[in-house]
Structures are given as C-alpha cells and as structure tokens.
Amino acid sequence: MRKTDKKIENQIREVLTDVCEGTLKDYDGFLWVTHTVKYTSFPQSLNIVCVFETNQDREHFLLGEGQRHVSTTIQKAFSKVGVQLKHVDKQISYDIKKSSIVRRLMRVSRVCSGNLALYWPTSQGG
C-alpha cells in the first residue's frame, strides 16, 4: 500500500467510524458499516455498505427516514474532510448479514487487508 493509499484509508476509516458511532447505532438491527475502494480512483470508487441483522431491520430502516438521514450524514462527514461524494446514493448500499454480498466482502477482507474495513458501534463489542 502506498503512503497516499494509507492516508486515504485512514481518512475513510475515521469518517465511517464517526458516522457509525454517531448515527447508525441508533437504528434497530444495525450491525456495522464497511467499504471497498480503489485508491487510484477515490472518491468515485468508494462503495459503502451498511449491514443490518435481518431483512426486516433493513426494510424498516429504508421505509423510514433512515436512508436519507444516513446518506446526508455520510456526505456531510466526508465533505468536512474535503472529500466530495458526487453520487452518494449510488455509493451507499444497505444489506443484511446473511447476504452473499456481505459474505463475499468478509472473504475479501481476510485476503486484501486495507481494501475493506468493518466498523461497528463499540457497544456491540467491536
């Protein structure tokens, strides 16, 4: 990992940790947030996944104001550190723990450290 990549990764980690601790932990069934990024095309390549325990938790979140609130919070948090997410609604997805996408991300995290990280509220033992 290049020095600039590490800087980008640390910035992403700090922002998502703050969002996780300050916003997402308030939603029922929320477990963690993770991301993938291709450093050479950051921030366009940044993809954020908010993971929920069950599909019911996820649906309840999406039917309420959760999605709009979280996407706005993430966009503002990145903006504060000078990163503009131009397509925030396309860069954030909402999934459940048992989905194939989340399982694939978990496998990737074991293989490609630095490309993916998980953030969860400290009250859940993270």
Side-chain angles (χ1 to χ4, degrees):
M1 182 183 290
R2 298 174 316 176
K3 192 174 183 177
T4 55
D5 297 346
K6 192 168 191 115
K7 226 174 155 177
I8 291 169
E9 182 62 32
N10 287 337
Q11 188 175 51
I12 294 168
R13 181 181 44 76
E14 289 173 16
V15 168
L16 292 180
T17 298
D18 289 346
V19 168
C20 182
E21 287 293 322
T23 303
L24 284 166
K25 69 177 183 176
D26 296 332
Y27 292 98
D28 290 338
F30 168 73
L31 296 175
W32 67 77
V33 63
T34 186
H35 75 279
T36 59
V37 65
K38 185 175 180 182
Y39 298 110
T40 56
S41 58
F42 175 79
Q44 297 83 3
S45 67
L46 178 62
N47 290 300
I48 300 164
V49 182
C50 300
V51 180
F52 291 83
E53 181 69 40
T54 66
N55 199 45
Q56 184 178 3
D57 293 328
R58 179 184 159 274
E59 290 301 318
H60 183 260
F61 171 85
L62 293 173
L63 289 173
E65 291 294 314
Q67 183 176 5
R68 183 178 11 204
H69 179 238
V70 168
S71 64
T72 300
T73 301
I74 289 172
Q75 192 168 30
K76 285 180 180 178
F78 275 104
S79 184
K80 284 182 184 177
V81 297
V83 175
Q84 301 304 312
L85 300 179
K86 294 180 182 176
H87 306 286
V88 70
D89 291 330
K90 293 179 182 178
Q91 290 179 273
I92 303 172
S93 60
Y94 305 90
D95 212 338
I96 62 170
K97 184 168 91 172
K98 293 184 179 183
S99 80
S100 61
I101 293 170
V102 171
R103 286 194 307 269
R104 188 174 75 233
L105 287 172
M106 295 300 289
R107 282 195 303 273
V108 168
S109 70
R110 288 187 213 118
V111 176
C112 306
S113 63
N115 243 9
L116 174 129
L118 305 173
Y119 312 96
W120 51 85
T122 54
S123 62
Q124 291 191 11

